Amino acid sequence: DVKVTQSSRYLVKRTGEKVFLECVQDMDHENMFWYRQDPGLGLRLIYFSYDVKMKEKGDIPEGYSVSREKKERFSLILESASTNQTSMYLCASRPGQTYEQYFGPGTRLTVT
Amino acid sequence: SQQGEEDPQALSIQEGENATMNCSYKTSINNLQWYRQNSGRGLVHLILIRSNEREKHSGRLRVTLDTSKKSSSLLITASRAADTASYFCATDLTGGGNKLTFGTGTQLKVEL
């Protein structure tokens, strides 16, 4: 079975801190994604990567950056956390186009 | 912008009844997928229907796709309390690269 893991289930950070969210998948998928999920807004794509060291902006990249140094790992970075980045963050991977996505369990981030 | 819009936003039924959720989208797709999310967890893929298919079944799930109306429906038959979750449609857009676009979801509650 495909497994996507995220480094934390719950995280509390202070405004202005640099925050790293880590995601690892074990099925050699080319594509990895970071979403945030907020009530009433569904899933919104922040960034995605289709290969090592490649990244593309999603719908809401402002305030975020990403890193993909190895195929299995995709990191989301909040350079200076703000309270409006309090959200559920979901990582996903996908083997290629026309296939389904596999999601991690999510990280609920609270910025105070 | 949201490509997929689910209807209704919330649905409450009794155990044993059928639940129907609808999804509308705006542009041409390669396929449409349905996902389920239990409270506070990641999404789990349920079923994928390709643009040249009209109907697909998986256990108690039945999905239809009408590309002329740009709409899909998910039917859960003989619902159980364990089906209580949020359900999302996701579209794989033609020329959209490797990313899916998710709707805002339908919250299903199945009561005993």
Side-chain angles (χ1 to χ4, degrees):
Chain A
D1 280 350
V2 175
K3 195 163 186 182
V4 180
T5 57
Q6 294 184 229
S7 50
S8 305
R9 290 282 286 123
Y10 300 95
L11 205 54
V12 179
K13 295 291 181 181
R14 294 202 180 274
T15 302
E17 279 194 79
K18 191 169 186 175
V19 181
F20 293 87
L21 302 181
E22 303 283 335
C23 175
V24 178
Q25 51 97 0
D26 65 358
M27 283 301 291
D28 204 37
H29 289 170
E30 290 85 6
N31 306 288
M32 297 187 75
F33 308 84
W34 275 107
Y35 298 88
R36 66 176 280 176
Q37 184 178 24
D38 301 288
L41 297 178
L43 275 73
R44 293 182 291 167
L45 182 64
I46 304 171
Y47 267 98
F48 64 103
S49 168
Y50 53 88
D51 202 353
V52 175
K53 296 191 185 294
M54 305 300 287
K55 61 184 179 183
E56 286 203 24
K57 293 180 181 179
D59 299 319
I60 51 164
E62 297 78 18
Y64 303 94
S65 62
V66 290
S67 172
R68 193 166 182 202
E69 297 296 318
K70 294 184 178 181
K71 193 173 186 179
E72 67 270 19
R73 188 180 297 269
F74 191 36
S75 302
L76 179 70
I77 303 154
L78 287 66
E79 294 290 342
S80 178
S82 63
T83 54
N84 63 12
Q85 292 178 309
T86 290
S87 187
M88 168 73 100
Y89 289 88
L90 293 164
C91 175
S93 72
R94 189 182 192 196
Q97 199 175 14
T98 74
Y99 291 90
E100 65 265 35
Q101 282 186 184
Y102 297 85
F103 281 83
T107 295
R108 187 166 294 281
L109 172 68
T110 302
V111 182
T112 61
Chain B
S1 63
Q2 294 292 340
Q3 164 73 345
E5 297 290 339
E6 285 94 339
D7 170 57
Q9 288 188 317
L11 181 60
S12 183
I13 60 174
Q14 298 293 312
E15 199 171 48
E17 294 180 338
N18 295 341
T20 300
M21 289 158 264
N22 302 296
C23 171
S24 60
Y25 58 93
K26 296 174 184 173
T27 58
S28 178
I29 61 171
N30 294 315
N31 64 71
L32 186 143
Q33 305 179 24
W34 285 90
Y35 289 78
R36 166 195 168 125
Q37 183 182 35
N38 289 85
S39 180
R41 308 295 297 183
L43 280 71
V44 175
H45 179 259
L46 294 177
I47 197 165
L48 180 155
I49 186 166
R50 303 193 187 282
S51 60
N52 61 353
E53 297 175 311
R54 292 296 166 258
E55 189 170 313
K56 204 161 183 180
H57 296 255
S58 176
R60 293 184 296 112
L61 305 180
R62 174 180 168 249
V63 170
T64 60
L65 178 64
D66 186 334
T67 53
S68 67
K69 294 182 179 178
K70 291 186 171 58
S71 67
S72 173
S73 67
L74 171 68
L75 169 67
I76 304 173
T77 60
S79 62
R80 306 165 181 167
D83 294 328
T84 295
S86 292
Y87 293 81
F88 294 86
C89 69
T91 47
D92 191 346
L93 304 181
T94 303
N98 292 323
K99 60 180 183 177
L100 295 175
T101 304
F102 287 81
T104 52
T106 292
Q107 289 188 356
L108 173 65
K109 184 175 182 181
V110 181
E111 299 185 87
L112 294 169

